Amino acid sequence: MESIQSSLKQWAVDNERFQQRLNDAKRTLLHDPVVKQALEKVDVSEEVLDQDLIKLYELQKELNHCQQCPGLSQCPNMMKGYQPELIVARKSLDLTYHPCSLKKKADNDRKQRQLINSLYVPKDILQATFDQLDPDHEREEASRKALQFALSAKPGDEGQGLYFYGKFGVGKTYLMGAVANELRDRGIQTFIVYTPDFFREMKSSIGDGTFQEKLDMVKKAQVLILDDIGAETISGWIRDDVLGAILQYRMLENLPTLFTSNYDYDELEEHLSYSERGGIEELKAKRIMERIKHYTSFVTVEGANRRVR
């Protein structure tokens, strides 16, 4: 009997100590600055506080992580890049999560990168900027017109584009990369395409059923850059059903198209007039060129071949 009484007394003492530790922990929690600040924004009873202390512990832990932020990639929070906010839901405390500033910036950067889509274009071209262009008086006029377009383009309202003509290696594609990045910063979606590989891709996509999807993706871009047009092996189908369909849609929708080429207008027309059957289809080539000429300004890119340095 004495043993039972002793055990009960010890249990009472242990329970009192546990309750004291619990009260101390609660007091410490409620005096934490981040918890106090959060509780100032809600109105709850003492009873609700007691039953939802676990939510306050979670809030304290997550927000203290944020105060000692190790960076987004090392974020220790349960939801990486998200901060908790204390709310009252159904007369109980709860937490809702919002993206932190680092998460918002990362998401925005990703969306910005997605504004430039590319097919078969080198990565260094996609990173080009006007600030990085070589100070070259021979290319000054082309650079000025490229920048002017990038700063003033209004897809859907104004469909006028540019046709950059020059010899191999003078920097036409790099200028287009700079245009694409400037447009990205303005929130304008740009698709930059290496034309020869794109046309080959379109031909092979007939077999896998993705032809129309890929065609729509390119022709509906706010700004389309067709790089190195004329370097492809032309066929009547490519000219009429791919290039012709793209240009017709963009003309009707006032969507600007930019071109780079080693051919001037007349040389490109001659190139487009040949068919895979060995015949010459001048009228069909003229139809394509009339669309290109009418909706682009011709820009000559001068300078030495930068690829042999």
Side-chain angles (χ1 to χ4, degrees), residues 46 49 147 190 227 298:
E46 191 73 22
L49 280 179
L147 179 59
T190 304
D227 182 43
F298 189 85

Side-chain angles (χ1 to χ4, degrees), residues 14 45 278 280:
D14 290 342
S45 65
I280 297 178

Side-chain angles (χ1 to χ4, degrees), residues 174-211:
Y174 195 88
L175 272 174
M176 292 299 98
V179 168
N181 275 298
E182 192 68 36
L183 291 170
R184 177 203 65 191
D185 292 342
R186 293 180 56 206
I188 296 176
Q189 180 206 39
T190 304
F191 216 119
I192 181 167
V193 174
Y194 180 61
T195 308
D197 283 347
F198 170 63
F199 285 159
R200 281 193 289 270
E201 174 74 14
M202 293 305 293
K203 187 175 182 179
S204 65
S205 68
I206 296 176
D208 61 22
T210 61
F211 172 80

Side-chain angles (χ1 to χ4, degrees), residues 44 70 100 119 126 164 166-167 172 176 210 226 268 274:
V44 292
C100 69
L119 289 175
L126 298 180
F164 276 64
K167 296 179 180 179
K172 303 184 297 295
M176 292 299 98
T210 61
L226 293 177
L268 182 61
Y274 290 97

Side-chain angles (χ1 to χ4, degrees), residues 11-131:
W11 178 84
V13 171
D14 290 342
N15 185 57
E16 185 177 347
R17 289 174 179 171
F18 172 77
Q19 191 62 44
Q20 184 61 46
R21 288 198 299 269
L22 186 62
N23 291 336
D24 290 343
K26 176 184 173 183
R27 191 179 304 109
T28 301
L29 175 66
L30 296 179
H31 281 81
D32 186 290
V34 297
V35 176
K36 286 180 65 176
Q37 185 176 13
L39 287 173
E40 288 174 357
K41 300 177 182 179
V42 298
D43 184 18
V44 292
S45 65
E46 191 73 22
E47 181 182 358
V48 170
L49 280 179
D50 288 339
Q51 70 183 21
D52 292 328
L53 284 177
I54 189 65
K55 294 294 183 182
L56 295 179
Y57 278 112
E58 182 180 334
L59 177 81
Q60 179 194 45
K61 179 182 177 182
E62 300 279 272
L63 289 182
N64 283 333
H65 286 161
C66 293
Q67 288 184 341
Q68 303 173 26
C69 178
L72 183 60
S73 62
Q74 302 297 320
C75 177
N77 282 0
M78 288 190 298
M79 296 176 60
K80 182 179 290 189
Y82 287 81
Q83 291 178 322
E85 177 188 353
L86 190 66
I87 61 172
V88 177
R90 298 175 183 175
K91 298 182 179 181
S92 297
L93 291 178
D94 202 354
L95 298 178
T96 183
Y97 280 80
H98 306 287
C100 69
S101 59
L102 295 182
K103 173 68 173 172
K104 289 178 181 178
K105 183 179 184 304
D107 288 346
N108 184 64
D109 289 347
R110 187 181 68 256
K111 289 178 181 178
Q112 288 288 308
R113 288 193 299 271
Q114 290 173 345
L115 287 173
I116 299 181
N117 296 285
S118 67
L119 289 175
Y120 319 109
V121 177
K123 289 184 178 180
D124 62 320
I125 298 301
L126 298 180
Q127 297 171 354
T129 65
F130 284 101
D131 292 338

Side-chain angles (χ1 to χ4, degrees), residues 223-239:
V223 174
L224 174 63
I225 299 173
L226 293 177
D227 182 43
D228 212 6
I229 190 169
E232 71 285 343
T233 300
I234 199 65
S235 71
W237 178 77
I238 286 291
R239 179 194 60 216

